[in-house]
Amino acid sequence: MSATRLLVLGVVRMFGRAHGYQVRRELLSWSADKWANVQPGSIYHALKKMTAEDLLEKIDVEPGDGGPDRVAYRLSPAGEQEFQVLLSKGLSDPGASNAELCAAISLMPALPRRNVISLLRQNLIHFEAEERRSQLGLEDETWNKPPHVSELFRLWGGIARASREWLTGLITRLEAGEYVMADDPGSAFGSPAPE
């Protein structure tokens, strides 16, 4: 999975139709260049590649002002399906990179509240297990390791604990009705824009 792929699909979906500059401007406003390393070249590459894969459709070409033509894109039905799969995987897969998880969190309002909570609970199980595994590594006296190696188990346990605490808080906030999700009245972000 690619954070750039998910983000580009998500932004095109959010606007209903969007051109590369619009996608770039939106993602820069989210600081995605910092947390997902989304660069202008990767955005345009993703648009072209996903068009070739029939995930995006070119719907309009406007002449550029002294530069390249401006191409507008929208999600195809296959693109909508790919978006849903990538978003669900980003929220639930413990193997997702930090950038992929961040991309999924930034787009989670596109899914119904109960779906997001369920997906996040799957990820929560992983962090709970990772925290316990780190604790067991610290307590294991049968492994003949140098004393300083125990710091790795403390680091891993700390990361898992912080992730578990944050995820538990996010689930609690979602259960309390925080954030407008796709199945909430008045949802704009979570639904594809009208054509």
Side-chain angles (χ1 to χ4, degrees):
M1 181 174 123
S2 157
T4 301
R5 188 176 179 92
L6 174 57
L7 287 166
V8 169
L9 286 170
V11 171
V12 171
R13 181 182 191 270
M14 183 178 76
F15 286 116
R17 67 182 295 275
H19 51 78
Y21 179 75
Q22 189 177 12
V23 173
R24 177 178 175 231
R25 188 179 62 224
E26 184 67 21
L27 291 176
L28 286 175
S29 77
W30 300 0
S31 299
D33 56 321
K34 294 174 182 54
W35 53 264
N37 196 29
V38 175
Q39 302 302 316
S42 62
I43 293 168
Y44 292 105
H45 175 74
L47 288 167
K48 287 179 186 173
K49 184 171 182 9
M50 289 189 289
T51 300
E53 296 172 350
D54 294 325
L55 300 176
L56 295 174
E57 301 169 342
K58 289 183 183 180
I59 56 170
D60 193 19
V61 179
E62 303 168 10
D65 298 328
D69 291 345
R70 217 178 246 188
V71 179
Y73 301 89
R74 71 174 169 212
L75 265 66
S76 68
E80 176 65 25
Q81 184 177 1
E82 177 79 356
F83 171 75
Q84 295 288 332
V85 167
L86 291 177
L87 181 54
S88 295
K89 185 176 180 184
L91 292 170
S92 65
D93 184 2
S97 71
N98 187 51
E100 292 164 347
L101 176 60
C102 290
I105 293 296
S106 69
L107 295 166
M108 72 180 181
L111 295 176
R113 184 176 305 278
R114 288 199 186 284
N115 292 21
V116 172
I117 291 169
S118 176
L119 292 165
L120 292 174
R121 285 189 189 284
Q122 291 176 39
N123 218 344
L124 182 61
I125 291 167
H126 163 74
F127 290 122
E128 290 168 342
E130 199 58 39
E131 188 176 4
R132 182 67 183 135
R133 192 173 306 123
S134 297
Q135 185 60 41
L136 291 172
L138 277 172
E139 296 168 359
D140 182 7
E141 300 197 13
T142 62
W143 183 38
N144 190 13
K145 60 187 175 279
H148 65 278
V149 172
S150 62
E151 290 305 321
L152 294 175
F153 291 98
R154 287 187 183 91
L155 171 64
W156 298 329
I159 291 169
R161 183 172 37 265
S163 297
R164 177 189 49 78
E165 289 171 357
W166 164 77
L167 201 47
T168 300
L170 175 56
I171 291 168
T172 300
R173 289 186 291 280
L174 286 167
E175 289 174 335
E178 213 167 307
Y179 310 117
V180 177
M181 305 302 284
D183 55 341
D184 291 337
S187 170
F189 184 88
S191 307
E195 296 179 24

